[in-house]
């Protein structure tokens, strides 16, 4: 009887010791995925921008050969045929045209979900290649129509609202001013 009780206690102790660390491991893996960073090497001098577009304010620069830490990427206005923009660890942006990835290419920004917005302006909403009115108009969305949104950035203010939404699309940048979008459900995360 005593041996059975000891065996039962030992089995329970082993099971508990195995389950708790595995639970902690699963939690830390999910947290690590959200904070994964990537590395890149600057291939020629590049300007650092406040948003993913050459029309955004220049906030710094990197010389050729510098190593940078990248969080994620978005589509934006094309620079010499490359429409990807990298978000740096400091929240600033550089054109991927001037970056050679070291290891794995960065993931796309956002949380992998699509969010819905509805055009709230009295006219059609301009869709632009980047998050400023200086970027080319690539299409429009009719008043009252819904759209799928990936994430948001702070950029040029439109009627007091600095947020711009990146839309899902067939590549290339597709951005709209959040000033004229009503969220349907949850608001998208920052890019």
């Amino acid at each position: 009887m005593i041996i059975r009780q000891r065996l039962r206690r030992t089995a329970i102790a082993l099971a508990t010791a195995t389950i708790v660390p595995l639970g902690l491991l699963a939690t830390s893996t999910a947290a690590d995925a959200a904070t994964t960073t990537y590395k890149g090497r600057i291939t020629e001098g590049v300007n650092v921008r406040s948003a993913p577009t050459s029309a955004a304010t220049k906030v710094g620069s990197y010389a050729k050969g510098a190593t940078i830490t990248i969080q994620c990427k978005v589509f934006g206005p094309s620079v010499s045929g490359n429409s990807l923009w990298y978000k740096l660890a400091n929240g600033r942006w550089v054109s991927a045209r001037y970056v050679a990835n070291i290891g794995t290419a960065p993931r796309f920004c956002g949380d992998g979900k699509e969010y819905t917005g509805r055009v709230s302006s009295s006219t059609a909403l301009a869709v632009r290649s980047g998050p400023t009115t200086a970027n080319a108009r690539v299409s429009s969305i009719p008043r009252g129509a819904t759209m799928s949104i990936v994430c948001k950035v702070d950029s040029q203010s439109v009627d007091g609202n600095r947020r711009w939404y990146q839309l899902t699309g067939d590549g290339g940048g597709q951005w709209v001013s959040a000033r004229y979008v009503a969220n349907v459900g949850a608001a998208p995360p920052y890019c």
Side-chain angles (χ1 to χ4, degrees):
M1 180 83 141
I2 294 175
I3 294 174
R4 281 189 193 149
Q5 287 176 342
R6 285 185 185 164
L7 285 174
R8 193 174 299 140
R9 282 187 210 149
T10 302
I12 291 171
L14 284 172
T16 303
T18 303
I19 291 170
V20 172
L22 289 176
L24 292 175
L25 178 62
T27 303
S28 66
T29 302
D32 290 343
T35 59
T36 299
T37 58
Y38 306 88
K39 295 288 183 183
R41 183 166 325 286
I42 302 299
T43 58
E44 57 185 270
V46 64
N47 291 326
V48 179
R49 303 287 179 171
S50 61
T53 173
S54 298
T57 305
K58 177 184 169 185
V59 293
S61 62
Y62 286 107
K64 180 179 180 177
T67 300
I68 59 173
T69 301
I70 304 165
Q71 288 183 340
C72 57
K73 63 187 172 189
V74 298
F75 286 113
S78 178
V79 176
S80 298
N82 190 326
S83 62
L84 292 174
W85 285 78
Y86 287 161
K87 182 179 183 181
L88 304 176
N90 63 7
R92 303 304 187 177
W93 298 85
V94 295
S95 170
R97 162 65 180 84
Y98 304 108
V99 179
N101 295 320
I102 300 171
T104 306
R107 67 175 179 80
F108 278 95
C109 298
D111 59 9
K113 299 177 186 175
E114 288 186 359
Y115 297 81
T116 303
R118 183 178 313 283
V119 176
S120 62
S121 64
S122 58
T123 61
L125 178 60
V127 177
R128 300 201 174 266
S129 64
T132 70
T133 57
N135 292 117
R137 181 179 174 153
V138 295
S139 67
S140 64
I141 303 171
R143 178 176 60 95
T146 60
M147 68 201 82
S148 295
I149 302 167
V150 177
C151 58
K152 62 187 172 192
V153 298
D154 288 334
S155 187
Q156 176 194 15
S157 179
V158 175
D159 291 336
N161 188 329
R162 295 188 58 222
R163 291 204 175 86
W164 286 74
Y165 291 150
Q166 182 183 29
L167 307 180
T168 60
D170 298 332
Q174 294 190 20
W175 296 84
V176 295
S177 169
R179 166 64 180 89
Y180 301 109
V181 177
N183 292 314
V184 178
Y190 274 95
C191 297

